[in-house]
Amino acid sequence: MMHRILFTASTFSHIRTFHLPYLRAFRALGWKVDVACGGTLPDLPDADRVIVLPFEKRMSSPANFRAQAQLRHLMRQQNYTLVITHTSLAAFFTRRAAAGVHPRPPVINMAHGYLFDDETPAWKRAILESAERLTARQTDLLLTMNQWDYRTAQRLHLGRRVAWVPGIGVDFSKLDAPPGACSRSTYGLDPEDFVLLYAAEFSSRKNQSMLIRALPSLPPQVKLLLPGQGALLEECRRLANTLGVADRVVFPGFVSPMAPLYALADAAVTSSRSEGLPFNVMESMYAGLPVIASRVKGHTDLLDDGRTGLLYPFDDTAAFVRAVKRLLEEPGLCAALGSAAHDAVQPYALDAVLPQVMEQYLSLVPAAQPLRAPAFSTTDKE
């Protein structure tokens, strides 16, 4: 029997950034792999078929319901052995599409971080929880990657079966290679600067504005390196100008590879409102950087306060400033935190995680067992 799998996500960039090793693993098992997403059509050599969906960020957009109808038709036509969905928007409409398919293929939803937590306003949390409850019957397996999401999904019965996995795995080998020709002067930074690095999309959830607001309370040698793009980039530029710290904030845009930036930074920081299991933090830990992170889900799963990193209450500028000053004032703390973080993040490496995730994926397809170990090699890099 020829097995065929469908991966869905809101954007192709999500699949390309995080899931190519899994596309390769299924193809190594002899499966046909289809990928259906919104966004610009990329080059995906690890997919047998690529389908463009008209996803839009606004949930109520008619385009999303057209995408749902397209997915339903696709599932009826292709008779998939398994459907795996990622990202909140795509996960909702993929599961709604599956509800109208008979017989329905097994559906796995990987939750990369629910967009609600204990601090979310009641009205907003009710809406987001309702969307998950509505699609729970079409979720044969729900995979979560932090403990808050796992406990919440179990309590609310958001899937027929709920399991925890240590993320999707980070390919740390990319950070082992020589960082290449890049110096602080490339970004207008001086050797004596204390450089804080935060690589993330510019959005309200990532909250870069808090880091910029903190700079006037920090010594002038503290500089902020903010690679990334997003809707709030220009707003953050204006804020830096308004506060008179534009010469202390570097906006290099999208940067890849990141290894040179980890090599020139003194510490990694994050001001995020919530996370699933963030790559930027795990990569920073592996690079041996001390991490100062907001005390939110995802961060608390990775960092032990005072041992592998420093945590502060979300959006608490004064607490963040104190944490940075602690790194400046306590000799040896940066090295101690960075060394402990490097050791602590090893279980999240792609080589360790991919077999665990594949075992969960294939648990819904008994005929696909036993697993063939060579399929899960991560030595085949892009």
Side-chain angles (χ1 to χ4, degrees), residues 285-302:
M285 294 171 70
Y286 185 84
L289 291 175
V291 180
I292 301 175
S294 47
R295 191 186 297 272
V296 298
K297 64 175 184 170
H299 292 163
T300 55
D301 292 75
L302 293 170

Side-chain angles (χ1 to χ4, degrees), residues 32-369:
K32 293 293 185 181
V33 176
D34 290 0
V35 178
C37 302
T40 304
L41 183 64
D43 178 25
L44 279 180
D46 301 295
D48 293 286
R49 184 183 182 195
V50 176
I51 302 98
V52 179
L53 300 173
F55 279 136
E56 294 186 359
K57 283 189 174 182
R58 185 167 54 90
M59 283 288 289
S60 59
S61 169
N64 292 328
F65 293 93
R66 292 198 300 272
Q68 175 181 308
Q70 190 174 342
L71 282 167
R72 182 170 294 161
H73 175 74
L74 191 63
M75 291 182 204
R76 288 171 174 165
Q77 182 186 60
Q78 295 298 325
N79 191 28
Y80 289 109
T81 307
L82 192 62
V83 174
I84 302 176
T85 185
H86 303 275
T87 68
S88 298
L89 185 143
F92 177 80
F93 287 102
T94 298
R95 289 176 290 173
R96 291 303 298 157
V101 179
H102 304 286
R104 179 176 64 78
V107 177
I108 298 174
N109 175 31
M110 178 171 277
H112 291 259
Y114 286 130
L115 300 178
F116 57 88
D117 59 17
D118 290 330
E119 305 302 319
T120 303
W123 66 269
K124 183 176 181 180
R125 180 168 176 173
I127 292 173
L128 294 172
E129 283 187 3
S130 295
E132 294 300 324
R133 290 176 188 270
L134 182 63
T135 52
R137 290 187 63 185
Q138 289 78 49
T139 309
D140 298 289
L141 173 60
L142 173 60
L143 296 179
T144 60
M145 54 183 69
N146 65 59
Q147 289 301 310
W148 191 93
D149 287 352
Y150 176 59
R151 292 191 298 268
T152 300
Q154 283 191 312
R155 178 173 55 82
L156 299 178
H157 305 289
L158 298 183
R160 294 176 181 269
R161 178 161 66 88
V162 178
W164 171 88
V165 291
I168 58 171
V170 185
D171 183 5
F172 291 132
S173 69
K174 295 178 180 179
L175 304 181
D176 290 329
C182 179
S183 65
R184 289 191 166 198
S185 61
T186 303
Y187 296 100
L189 300 167
D190 296 324
E192 65 273 16
D193 288 337
F194 191 83
V195 180
L196 306 177
L197 171 66
Y198 183 29
E201 177 190 10
F202 282 83
S203 67
S204 58
R205 183 167 67 91
K206 298 300 184 179
N207 195 33
Q208 285 94 338
S209 61
M210 190 283 295
L211 303 176
I212 298 170
R213 291 196 305 270
L215 278 181
S217 300
L218 288 165
Q221 76 269 25
V222 176
K223 303 293 178 67
L224 191 56
L225 184 55
L226 298 176
Q229 298 174 328
L232 297 186
L233 172 57
E234 293 307 315
E235 183 177 311
C236 285
R237 288 186 192 273
R238 289 193 294 270
L239 177 62
N241 280 315
T242 299
L243 296 177
V245 294
D247 60 335
R248 297 173 61 188
V249 187
V250 181
F251 299 96
F254 177 77
V255 176
S256 181
M258 280 291 297
L261 270 62
Y262 292 125
L264 65 79
D266 293 289
V269 297
T270 168
S271 47
S272 183
R273 171 65 183 81
S274 68
E275 290 290 347
L277 207 63
F279 265 43
N280 62 332
V281 171
M282 290 186 283
E283 289 184 344
S284 298
M285 294 171 70
Y286 185 84
L289 291 175
V291 180
I292 301 175
S294 47
R295 191 186 297 272
V296 298
K297 64 175 184 170
H299 292 163
T300 55
D301 292 75
L302 293 170
L303 297 169
D304 181 2
D305 191 23
R307 190 183 71 84
T308 59
L310 299 177
L311 297 172
Y312 66 94
F314 168 73
D315 210 33
D316 189 331
T317 305
F320 172 77
V321 168
R322 288 194 296 271
V324 175
K325 288 183 175 179
R326 184 178 172 188
L327 292 185
L328 293 170
E329 296 167 359
E330 295 185 25
L333 182 59
C334 283
L337 291 174
S339 177
H342 177 82
D343 293 340
V345 81
Q346 299 300 322
Y348 299 94
L350 180 60
D351 286 337
V353 174
L354 189 145
Q356 300 178 56
V357 174
M358 286 298 293
E359 183 174 10
Q360 291 287 351
Y361 284 170
L362 292 173
S363 67
L364 296 188
V365 191
Q369 306 295 335

